[in-house]
């Protein structure tokens, strides 16, 4: 998968960035939740592959007339959609749709673009690709991560990005250190490391996670957590868990910082770090995102899949 | 018209589903009402024909600044639109726009995608195509319906789908049986059969309409009818007029059920019927819809027309 | 610039209106304000040049999660956007974004599609092109305006269209006469003529501005001006400043009327004038708009620019 992404990454660095790979195929973006990056990223990836895009917006659709999500999805398939990219605030929706298509014998591919607090596979894949490409641009591969220490800081409990990253990073012999206030990092996250090649460590303080870290993935703090009494204030969160240049001194001197976006400047990460080209990989992540999604669309094509494909 | 649709239907079953027929032409989707099927169907039809699409959304347009519908339409024409597909909750809007373009000597094609409670021509055409293709896939033609009995069940009074279907189906020697509660099926519908080849029958009970029927078209019940005192409750509606497997026993043993979508499962039709591949043509309708709209866009091209073309 | 537009105008009059000039390039339409003409005009211009379009809608974007405008813009650049077309109700936004891209060494082109009450360069360019093409269709050039008298009538103070037009028209030896109620035309507008080839005249009555005018540009009166006590009523505005056939008798017999759209029929201009093909250039403006924007997109391509380019 990383190899395919690398070849599409190479396409994107050419003059003419378009290839006719998915000519005549239809990709439907069924986004039931707001998104800038993921939606546009899939859209531009599909267009680079010469596919046709259908954008769905629930506010101007027949869902206002009471149509179910499954019937909406089936209508898109009947119209000729080959690949459906689905984002929904309810976990499990892409899987439910995929199973229903299975039951009905309908041939369509489903890509999970983020389902509730469950998973966000394409984000984890692009994070992986960004990291591996940094370590070896010509031959990005999973085993480059062997022996590395990667910290994930933030609202782990509610973050589908964190869940997918934990899964993908522990596919090889890596130390994944999670750090968050106790309300956002319950003990059961220890179990995520079982039967995986990598190891997971939980911390309720920032510093142990950062010590010697090679990569730091910060997550967006949703401001509504304060309203639900999970955190006292964003200021206290920033004081204890915000990533700043001084705190990064604990890490490996060549440490890099990632963030899935969108960023709350000054909350989970200080504003100067976000734009620091020596440390931040945030813009690279967005660029990788298009290459990764081109690879996903290409590999999945017209085979049906539940939503995750990492290897 | 059916022959053209059949040839486009054949295009859609190929590997590469795209043809360069409308290359360089611009299709503007002016949808002032919510829609999933019709809007996306026209969009994918236009894209299969390699046309460029402009999607109009009234909420983010200059209509918020007070621009009239006619001026909005003229702006799109001046930008180079060749075909305008219009849906509006006010009946007659496509015709008004077409007449104004006539008066001004402007050359543009108008397709009615549903105007208020008046007509929905492309839906009726795709229903016709779905039925005729079932009867003879290689040579779908209108006279296949001769002698057939077709029931239309539901909110006939308010349904533009019903009005268009009544018109198209009575173009040949067919029995069209309408059934609905008296509040939704006034007597004047008898007049719709005058000077037409087909015959219209009104029923205020479901069973006489279903007896011996070859095809049953169910319409979506708008739940707000209860609020306007036209129906006591949806439960009573389902009991008296809902289509279920047991009620279908009155029909021809090979009866098929159609529904324009979106479906209210369990209200106008029972949930199991909708997905039954032996009985339901609902998914076929959606697929036909793309072929029919490709044919409409192709045939209409740059000739101006009021909105209906059935022969 | 006018020559490039003229060549694209010629492309639009051919049978096949599409050219592969920007094949593989991505144009992102970042419209934070409502628009019909400008947004669709840029979209169709980009599609005629075979570019791929990304449409941004703030309501369904990550800006709902608190993402800043700059970070949104940077995300689009990282996704591979070559040209960003920006409209925002806050003046200066396109320039701020362009400067930030400069600071970060990012290579992307910015086109200002209207920023607050500041400027609307593509509108002024298309007005210029419409006028010059009328004077000499085969060779539209700026010096055709020498010695002409052009009136701009309306809410000059708040109109970005007026500001851009004043700048572009005074690039040659032209008399630009501004007329509006005193509340909408403060004295400092006299300064706009300094160091320019053209001359500016202010009038607080309509008639002196219209006397001998060759072209009259009317601006949309925003009805909310009444609410802010800048005008007594729209009826009084129409009586004193509205353009009607009888008032046009003061002008040059061949006078033409322009309006950037959308028009408030009966307020700034009488309804019959808008559709009069002998006098109104309003539809021509919209058509020119596509050609002008094709030229802008082509000329700007992948060079970075602040937003204005007139010569």
């Amino acid at each position: 998968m990383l190899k395919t992404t690398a070849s599409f990454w190479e396409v994107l660095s050419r003059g003419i960035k378009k290839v006719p790979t998915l000519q005549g195929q239809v990709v439907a973006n069924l986004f039931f939740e707001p998104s800038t990056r993921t939606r546009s990223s899939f859209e531009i990836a599909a267009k680079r592959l010469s596919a046709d895009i259908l954008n769905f917006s629930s506010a101007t659709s027949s869902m206002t007339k009471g149509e179910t999500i499954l019937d909406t999805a089936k209508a898109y398939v009947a119209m000729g959609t080959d690949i459906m990219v689905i984002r929904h605030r309810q976990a499990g929706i892409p899987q439910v749709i995929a199973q229903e298509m299975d039951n009905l014998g309908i041939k369509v591919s489903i890509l999970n673009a983020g389902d509730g607090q469950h998973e966000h596979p394409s984000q984890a894949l692009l994070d992986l690709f960004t990291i591996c490409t940094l370590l070896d641009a010509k031959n990005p591969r999973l085993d480059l991560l062997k022996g590395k220490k990667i910290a994930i800081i933030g609202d782990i409990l509610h973050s589908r990005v964190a869940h997918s990253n934990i899964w993908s990073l522990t596919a090889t012999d890596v130390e994944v250190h999670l750090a968050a206030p106790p309300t956002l990092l319950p003990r059961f996250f220890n179990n995520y490391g079982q039967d995986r090649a990598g190891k997971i460590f939980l911390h309720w303080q920032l510093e142990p996670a950062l010590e010697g870290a090679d990569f730091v993935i910060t997550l967006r703090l949703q401001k509504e957590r304060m309203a639900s009494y999970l955190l006292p204030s964003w200021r206290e969160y920033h004081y204890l868990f915000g990533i700043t240049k001084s705190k990064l001194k604990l890490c490996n001197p060549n440490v890099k910082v990632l963030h899935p976006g969108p960023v709350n400047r000054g909350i989970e990460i200080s504003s100067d770090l976000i734009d620091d080209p020596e440390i931040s990989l945030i813009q690279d992540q967005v660029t990788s995102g298009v290459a990764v999604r081109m690879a996903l669309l290409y590999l999945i094509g017209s085979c049906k899949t539940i939503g995750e494909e990492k290897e």
Side-chain angles (χ1 to χ4, degrees), chain A residues 24 52 66 98-99 103 128 141 170 190 211 248 267 290:
Chain A
D52 288 314
Q99 272 173 350
N103 295 342
L128 191 66
R141 57 206 189 277
T170 53
N190 275 314
E211 273 195 54
L248 285 182
I267 297 182
V290 180

Side-chain angles (χ1 to χ4, degrees), chain A residues 135-207:
Chain A
L135 296 170
D136 184 351
K138 288 198 190 304
N139 185 12
R141 57 206 189 277
L142 198 55
D143 61 1
L144 291 165
L145 296 178
K146 278 192 170 39
K148 298 286 181 208
K149 178 173 173 182
I150 301 176
I152 305 182
I153 316 296
D155 188 352
I156 314 272
L157 176 60
H158 300 101
S159 167
R160 54 193 174 206
V161 172
H163 305 161
S164 291
N165 263 307
I166 291 168
W167 200 88
S168 65
L169 293 171
T170 53
T172 191
D173 181 23
V174 141
E175 282 191 14
V176 176
H177 290 255
L178 311 175
T183 44
L184 302 179
L185 184 52
R187 282 200 181 87
F188 65 71
F189 273 88
N190 275 314
N191 303 337
Y192 279 49
Q194 287 179 351
D195 309 320
R196 303 290 293 162
K199 293 190 193 58
I200 291 177
F201 299 86
L202 266 57
H203 308 277
W204 288 334
Q205 280 178 308
L206 178 63
E207 290 75 10

Side-chain angles (χ1 to χ4, degrees), chain A residues 3 12 72 74 191-192 268:
Chain A
K3 283 203 193 129
L12 292 178
T72 300
K74 281 191 275 187
N191 303 337
Y192 279 49
E268 60 261 12

Side-chain angles (χ1 to χ4, degrees), chain A residues 201-221:
Chain A
F201 299 86
L202 266 57
H203 308 277
W204 288 334
Q205 280 178 308
L206 178 63
E207 290 75 10
L210 290 187
E211 273 195 54
D214 300 294
F215 295 94
V216 178
I217 301 177
T218 47
L219 304 171
R220 183 175 71 90
L221 185 74

Side-chain angles (χ1 to χ4, degrees), chain A residues 40 67 70 78 92 143 163 173 188 208-209 239 244 271 273-274 277 309-310:
Chain A
S40 302
E67 186 168 34
L70 275 180
D143 61 1
H163 305 161
D173 181 23
F188 65 71
Y239 181 70
T244 62
S271 216
L273 262 186
I274 298 164
E309 188 197 271
K310 307 176 199 262

Side-chain angles (χ1 to χ4, degrees), chain A residues 61-266:
Chain A
S61 80
S62 296
M63 295 195 65
T64 60
K65 299 179 193 171
E67 186 168 34
T68 67
I69 294 171
L70 275 180
D71 284 342
T72 300
K74 281 191 275 187
Y76 274 93
V77 173
M79 276 188 255
T81 300
D82 298 290
I83 304 174
M84 287 198 289
V85 179
I86 301 171
R87 166 174 282 197
H88 200 278
R89 61 181 177 82
Q90 179 72 43
I93 290 289
Q95 183 149 358
V96 166
I97 293 177
Q99 272 173 350
E100 182 73 1
M101 297 298 164
D102 252 350
N103 295 342
L104 297 170
I106 295 171
K107 192 169 156 159
V108 68
S109 304
I110 312 280
L111 273 170
N112 181 2
D115 61 328
Q117 297 169 358
H118 179 230
E119 295 267 1
H120 192 351
S122 56
Q123 181 69 44
L125 286 170
L126 75 90
D127 291 343
L128 191 66
F129 182 76
T130 307
I131 291 175
C132 294
T133 314
L134 187 86
L135 296 170
D136 184 351
K138 288 198 190 304
N139 185 12
R141 57 206 189 277
L142 198 55
D143 61 1
L144 291 165
L145 296 178
K146 278 192 170 39
K148 298 286 181 208
K149 178 173 173 182
I150 301 176
I152 305 182
I153 316 296
D155 188 352
I156 314 272
L157 176 60
H158 300 101
S159 167
R160 54 193 174 206
V161 172
H163 305 161
S164 291
N165 263 307
I166 291 168
W167 200 88
S168 65
L169 293 171
T170 53
T172 191
D173 181 23
V174 141
E175 282 191 14
V176 176
H177 290 255
L178 311 175
T183 44
L184 302 179
L185 184 52
R187 282 200 181 87
F188 65 71
F189 273 88
N190 275 314
N191 303 337
Y192 279 49
Q194 287 179 351
D195 309 320
R196 303 290 293 162
K199 293 190 193 58
I200 291 177
F201 299 86
L202 266 57
H203 308 277
W204 288 334
Q205 280 178 308
L206 178 63
E207 290 75 10
L210 290 187
E211 273 195 54
D214 300 294
F215 295 94
V216 178
I217 301 177
T218 47
L219 304 171
R220 183 175 71 90
L221 185 74
Q222 287 170 305
K223 294 177 191 161
E224 46 275 31
R225 299 295 161 224
M226 266 64 76
S228 7
Y229 305 115
L230 291 168
L231 293 172
S233 72
W234 68 261
R235 228 180 278 271
E236 181 161 329
Y237 177 82
H238 180 72
Y239 181 70
L240 291 173
F241 287 91
I243 307 299
T244 62
K245 270 193 174 155
S246 65
K247 290 192 184 157
L248 285 182
K249 289 182 182 154
L250 292 165
C251 307
N252 181 314
N254 293 327
V255 70
K256 304 293 181 198
V257 176
L258 294 87
H259 190 304
V263 183
N264 286 322
R265 291 174 168 268

